[in-house]
Short mmCIF file of all heavy atoms in Angstrom, two decimals:
data_model
loop_
_atom_site.label_atom_id
_atom_site.label_comp_id
_atom_site.label_asym_id
_atom_site.label_seq_id
_atom_site.Cartn_x
_atom_site.Cartn_y
_atom_site.Cartn_z
N GLY A 160 28.46 46.03 -32.72
CA GLY A 160 29.80 46.77 -33.20
C GLY A 160 30.90 45.83 -33.55
O GLY A 160 31.92 46.34 -33.86
N MET A 161 30.64 44.53 -33.69
CA MET A 161 31.69 43.70 -34.09
C MET A 161 32.00 43.86 -35.56
O MET A 161 31.05 44.00 -36.33
CB MET A 161 31.23 42.19 -33.81
CG MET A 161 32.30 41.19 -34.11
SD MET A 161 33.81 41.40 -33.14
CE MET A 161 33.28 41.12 -31.54
N ASP A 162 33.30 43.80 -35.95
CA ASP A 162 33.70 43.93 -37.25
C ASP A 162 33.23 42.64 -38.01
O ASP A 162 33.66 41.61 -37.68
CB ASP A 162 35.31 44.00 -37.25
CG ASP A 162 35.79 44.11 -38.58
OD1 ASP A 162 35.01 44.13 -39.63
OD2 ASP A 162 37.04 44.39 -38.78
N GLY A 163 32.56 42.78 -39.05
CA GLY A 163 32.06 41.70 -39.85
C GLY A 163 33.09 40.78 -40.50
O GLY A 163 32.83 39.64 -40.84
N SER A 164 34.28 41.44 -40.74
CA SER A 164 35.35 40.58 -41.25
C SER A 164 36.01 39.58 -40.28
O SER A 164 36.62 38.66 -40.76
CB SER A 164 36.61 41.66 -41.81
OG SER A 164 37.14 42.23 -40.59
N ARG A 165 35.57 39.67 -39.10
CA ARG A 165 36.09 38.69 -38.15
C ARG A 165 34.97 37.49 -37.90
O ARG A 165 35.17 36.67 -37.06
CB ARG A 165 36.28 39.35 -36.76
CG ARG A 165 37.40 40.44 -36.70
CD ARG A 165 37.50 40.99 -35.42
NE ARG A 165 37.98 40.02 -34.37
CZ ARG A 165 37.95 40.20 -33.13
NH1 ARG A 165 37.47 41.25 -32.64
NH2 ARG A 165 38.40 39.36 -32.39
N LEU A 166 33.87 37.56 -38.78
CA LEU A 166 32.84 36.71 -38.57
C LEU A 166 32.68 35.74 -39.95
O LEU A 166 32.65 36.35 -41.00
CB LEU A 166 31.46 37.32 -38.36
CG LEU A 166 31.52 38.35 -37.09
CD1 LEU A 166 30.12 39.08 -37.09
CD2 LEU A 166 31.75 37.51 -35.92
N MET A 167 32.63 34.49 -39.68
CA MET A 167 32.32 33.50 -40.82
C MET A 167 31.14 32.81 -40.60
O MET A 167 30.77 32.51 -39.46
CB MET A 167 33.48 32.50 -40.92
CG MET A 167 34.93 33.12 -41.21
SD MET A 167 36.30 32.00 -41.21
CE MET A 167 35.81 31.02 -42.61
N LEU A 168 30.22 32.53 -41.65
CA LEU A 168 29.08 31.95 -41.43
C LEU A 168 28.99 30.54 -41.92
O LEU A 168 29.50 30.21 -43.02
CB LEU A 168 27.88 32.76 -42.21
CG LEU A 168 27.28 33.93 -41.48
CD1 LEU A 168 28.31 35.03 -41.28
CD2 LEU A 168 26.11 34.50 -42.34
N GLU A 169 28.47 29.63 -41.09
CA GLU A 169 28.22 28.26 -41.40
C GLU A 169 26.76 28.06 -41.33
O GLU A 169 26.29 27.77 -40.17
CB GLU A 169 29.11 27.30 -40.48
CG GLU A 169 29.11 25.75 -40.93
CD GLU A 169 27.62 25.21 -40.64
OE1 GLU A 169 27.32 25.05 -39.50
OE2 GLU A 169 26.98 24.94 -41.65
N ASP A 170 26.08 28.09 -42.32
CA ASP A 170 24.54 28.17 -42.29
C ASP A 170 23.82 27.02 -42.96
O ASP A 170 22.70 27.08 -43.26
CB ASP A 170 24.04 29.42 -42.93
CG ASP A 170 24.49 29.65 -44.36
OD1 ASP A 170 25.14 28.66 -44.87
OD2 ASP A 170 24.11 30.61 -44.98
N GLU A 171 24.61 25.91 -42.96
CA GLU A 171 24.01 24.67 -43.58
C GLU A 171 23.65 23.52 -42.64
O GLU A 171 22.96 22.54 -43.04
CB GLU A 171 24.94 24.10 -44.73
CG GLU A 171 25.31 25.07 -45.80
CD GLU A 171 23.98 25.39 -46.64
OE1 GLU A 171 23.15 24.48 -46.78
OE2 GLU A 171 23.96 26.52 -47.19
N SER A 172 24.09 23.63 -41.42
CA SER A 172 23.95 22.51 -40.52
C SER A 172 22.68 22.49 -39.68
O SER A 172 22.01 23.65 -39.59
CB SER A 172 25.21 22.57 -39.39
OG SER A 172 25.21 23.80 -38.69
N SER A 173 22.27 21.44 -39.09
CA SER A 173 21.10 21.30 -38.37
C SER A 173 21.28 20.72 -37.08
O SER A 173 20.30 20.54 -36.23
CB SER A 173 20.09 20.46 -39.12
OG SER A 173 20.50 19.18 -39.41
#
Side-chain angles (χ1 to χ4, degrees):
M161 183 58 62
D162 183 354
S164 66
R165 298 180 64 194
L166 306 174
M167 300 173 65
L168 274 67
E169 186 290 292
D170 59 3
E171 299 296 329
S172 56
S173 60

